[in-house]
């Protein structure tokens, strides 16, 4: 059993991704946006957005056919920078994180990327392609976010995830499951050597 954080900027698709792949009815803490938040939550580029996560999203995904059977516990973070203190709590005990990126509002990705770099938690970047958004090569995204070569950047899905190569979409369960497996592999490769990590029971208690 592994805990995974789904992070990203405001409106990047975190709640959508958790809901798309969760085998249980996801827990969501979304609230309606009001005039009181207009000064702190910019809707530029996401004008149709009406709700926002104020605590976290939670979902669960079992992958019995993975090379090692997995049960993933998914925690979606709120996207606004003012919730960074909560990100620390949600990241405690996690094996890694997926950072969702909206290339229309790339600046909203800088804080979550820096956050996981600072706390030393392995992460991958997945570009959630919105209708009408320009398509970029993974290395262009890497350069724009100043990511090291070791961090996987997913912009398209491989044929093994879908019937044919296509842009990554947080609404597609197979796309989300595929990037979660990419993260697990990346986290295993970057696991620190030394004493064994706490058991999964401790991880869930930390959550």
């Amino acid at each position: 059993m592994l805990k995974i954080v789904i992070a990203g900027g405001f409106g990047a698709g975190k709640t959508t991704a958790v809901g798309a792949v969760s085998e249980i009815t996801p827990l969501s803490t979304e609230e309606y946006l009001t005039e009181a938040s207009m000064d702190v939550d910019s809707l530029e580029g996401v004008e149709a957005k009406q709700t926002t996560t104020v605590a976290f999203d939670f979902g669960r995904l079992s992958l019995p056919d993975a090379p090692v059977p997995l049960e993933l516990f998914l925690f979606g973070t709120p996207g606004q920078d003012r919730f960074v203190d909560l990100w620390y709590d949600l990241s405690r005990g996690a094996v890694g994180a997926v950072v969702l990126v909206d290339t229309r509002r790339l600046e909203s990705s800088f804080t979550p990327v820096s956050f996981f770099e600072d706390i030393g938690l392995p992460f991958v970047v997945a570009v959630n392609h919105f209708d009408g958004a320009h398509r970029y090569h993974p290395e262009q995204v890497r350069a724009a976010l100043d990511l090291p070569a070791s961090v996987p950047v997913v912009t398209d899905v491989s044929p093994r995830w879908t019937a044919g190569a296509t842009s990554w979409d947080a609404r597609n369960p197979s796309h989300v499951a595929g990037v979660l497996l990419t993260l697990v592999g990346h986290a295993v490769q970057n696991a620190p050597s030394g004493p064994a990590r706490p058991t999964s029971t401790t991880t869930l208690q930390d959550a």
Side-chain angles (χ1 to χ4, degrees):
M1 292 184 287
L2 300 175
K3 177 182 179 182
I4 290 176
V5 177
I6 310 294
F10 180 57
K14 301 175 294 297
T15 299
T16 299
V18 172
V21 80
S22 179
E23 64 195 13
I24 63 172
T25 301
L27 169 66
S28 178
T29 60
E30 288 211 309
E31 296 291 344
Y32 283 102
L33 291 164
T34 65
E35 292 184 5
S37 69
M38 292 180 61
D39 292 337
V40 292
D41 294 332
S42 172
L43 294 178
E44 184 178 355
V46 287
E47 288 81 5
K49 187 172 177 59
Q50 297 181 338
T51 62
T52 186
T53 299
V54 296
F56 62 89
D57 301 309
F58 173 76
R60 186 184 71 202
L61 175 64
S62 298
L63 297 171
D65 297 327
V68 176
L70 297 172
E71 188 169 9
L72 306 180
F73 294 86
L74 312 175
F75 289 80
T77 70
Q80 298 93 319
D81 292 359
R82 66 178 185 274
F83 290 114
V84 166
D85 286 345
L86 182 56
W87 298 359
Y88 284 101
D89 294 331
L90 294 175
S91 299
R92 188 176 297 115
V95 68
V98 175
V99 176
L100 299 186
V101 169
D102 177 359
T103 55
R104 302 170 305 170
R105 308 169 81 238
L106 192 63
E107 68 281 356
S108 68
S109 304
F110 297 152
T111 298
V113 165
S114 296
F115 174 82
F116 293 114
E117 289 178 336
D118 290 344
I119 68 173
L121 189 67
F123 69 95
V124 303
V125 166
V127 176
N128 188 18
H129 287 105
F130 290 83
D131 295 339
H134 185 76
R135 270 44 175 172
Y136 294 93
H137 188 276
E139 293 309 310
Q140 292 177 295
V141 177
R142 184 186 306 282
L145 294 176
D146 195 22
L147 296 171
S150 59
V151 175
V153 177
V154 177
T155 59
D156 299 304
V157 292
S158 66
R160 75 176 186 275
W161 297 352
T162 187
T166 186
S167 298
W168 196 90
D169 189 335
R171 299 168 296 185
N172 189 306
S174 65
H175 293 194
V176 180
V179 86
L180 292 173
L181 286 173
T182 297
L183 170 64
V184 171
H186 176 61
V188 169
Q189 290 179 344
N190 290 273
S193 58
R197 287 189 169 190
T199 64
S200 57
T201 301
T202 301
T203 299
L204 294 178
Q205 290 174 344
D206 285 344

